[in-house]
C-alpha cells in the first residue's frame, strides 16, 4: 500500500486524555484545542575525550530522559462533574484529577498522579492514519490565562517514557 504524501495539520488530529479507571478508562477528547501539541524526545550522550580532545575519544549513552510535552486549549468552563454529577467532565477537572469526578491516576497508589494522552492523526486520504500514545504523563505546570477573544488552559508535563508509542490505526 502506498503511503500518502498529504501533509497533516491541526484539522487532521484530535487529542484524547485517558485515566486509570478499571476496567474501562474514562476519556475526554480535548475540544477547542489550539492544535499546538508539542513533544520532545531527548537522548543524553556522554562525551569521553582523550586529554580534552575529541580525536581518540568516544561517545557513551547517557541517562534516559522523559518525553516533554505541552498543549493548550480554549477554556469553556473549569468545573462540571465536580460541581454536579450530571454535568460532563471538563478539561481542568481531568488534568487535575479533581475530587468528586472519579478521574483516576494511571500510576500505582503512592506514585505521582499520571494520565495517558493519545494523539490521533487521521490521514485525509484515508491511507496512513496514526496514533501516538504517551503513557504515565504527569503535570509539571497548568497555566490559565485570560484573553481578549478567549481564555486558555496550557498544560506542560512529561511522559515517564523515553519515546511515545507510534502505531498505524
Amino acid at each position: 500500500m502506498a503511503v500518502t504524501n498529504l501533509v497533516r495539520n491541526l484539522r487532521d488530529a484530535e487529542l484524547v486524555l485517558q485515566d486509570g479507571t478499571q476496567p474501562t478508562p474514562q476519556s475526554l477528547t480535548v475540544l477547542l484545542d489550539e492544535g499546538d501539541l508539542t513533544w520532545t524526545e531527548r537522548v543524553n550522550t556522554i562525551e569521553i575525550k582523550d586529554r580534552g580532545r575529541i580525536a581518540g575519544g568516544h561517545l557513551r549513552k547517557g541517562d534516559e530522559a522523559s518525553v516533554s510535552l505541552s498543549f493548550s486549549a480554549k477554556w469553556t468552563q473549569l468545573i462540571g462533574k465536580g460541581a454536579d454529577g450530571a454535568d460532563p467532565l471538563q478539561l481542568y477537572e481531568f488534568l487535575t484529577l479533581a475530587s468528586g469526578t472519579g478521574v483516576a491516576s494511571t500510576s500505582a497508589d503512592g506514585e505521582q498522579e499520571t494520565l495517558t494522552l493519545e494523539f490521533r492523526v487521521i490521514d485525509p486520504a484515508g491511507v496512513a492514519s496514526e496514533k501516538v500514545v504517551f503513557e504515565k504523563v504527569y503535570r509539571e505546570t497548568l497555566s490559565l490565562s485570560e484573553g481578549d477573544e478567549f481564555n486558555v488552559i496550557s498544560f506542560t508535563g512529561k511522559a515517564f517514557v523515553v519515546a511515545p508509542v507510534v502505531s498505524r490505526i
Side-chain angles (χ1 to χ4, degrees):
M1 179 185 298
V3 176
T4 180
N5 62 352
L6 295 177
V7 175
R8 308 306 190 275
N9 64 35
L10 59 90
R11 287 176 290 282
D12 300 320
E14 68 180 1
L15 180 61
V16 179
L17 309 178
Q18 298 174 343
D19 79 344
T21 301
Q22 294 298 325
T24 306
Q26 293 188 76
S27 67
L28 176 75
T29 301
V30 181
L31 300 176
L32 304 174
D33 66 279
E34 290 290 291
D36 61 357
L37 173 68
T38 301
W39 75 86
T40 304
E41 301 172 33
R42 288 189 9 225
V43 176
N44 289 320
T45 301
I46 300 169
E47 295 182 352
I48 310 297
K49 297 177 182 165
D50 182 8
R51 297 195 172 269
R53 296 181 53 167
I54 291 175
H58 62 276
L59 301 173
R60 303 238 5 218
K61 288 184 177 182
D63 290 345
E64 292 181 340
S66 297
V67 174
S68 299
L69 54 104
S70 65
F71 69 89
S72 62
K74 294 176 180 85
W75 156 10
T76 55
Q77 67 185 82
L78 297 178
I79 58 173
K81 190 171 188 168
D84 183 341
D87 285 353
L89 270 167
Q90 298 299 316
L91 178 59
Y92 180 79
E93 292 176 309
F94 211 100
L95 292 173
T96 61
L97 288 80
S99 178
T101 61
V103 177
S105 176
T106 58
S107 293
D109 289 342
E111 291 185 10
Q112 175 63 288
E113 293 176 331
T114 60
L115 297 168
T116 297
L117 272 66
E118 188 175 289
F119 185 55
R120 299 175 190 156
V121 185
I122 305 304
D123 178 4
V127 177
S129 297
E130 297 168 317
K131 176 171 64 172
V132 183
V133 178
F134 302 90
E135 298 284 343
K136 293 187 103 175
V137 175
Y138 61 93
R139 173 175 39 114
E140 290 189 308
T141 63
L142 187 59
S143 302
L144 291 85
S145 58
E146 181 182 34
D148 206 22
E149 294 182 34
F150 50 84
N151 296 345
V152 175
I153 297 175
S154 298
F155 173 90
T156 302
K158 289 191 175 175
F160 195 56
V161 294
V162 295
V165 175
V166 182
S167 60
R168 287 266 181 95
I169 53 175

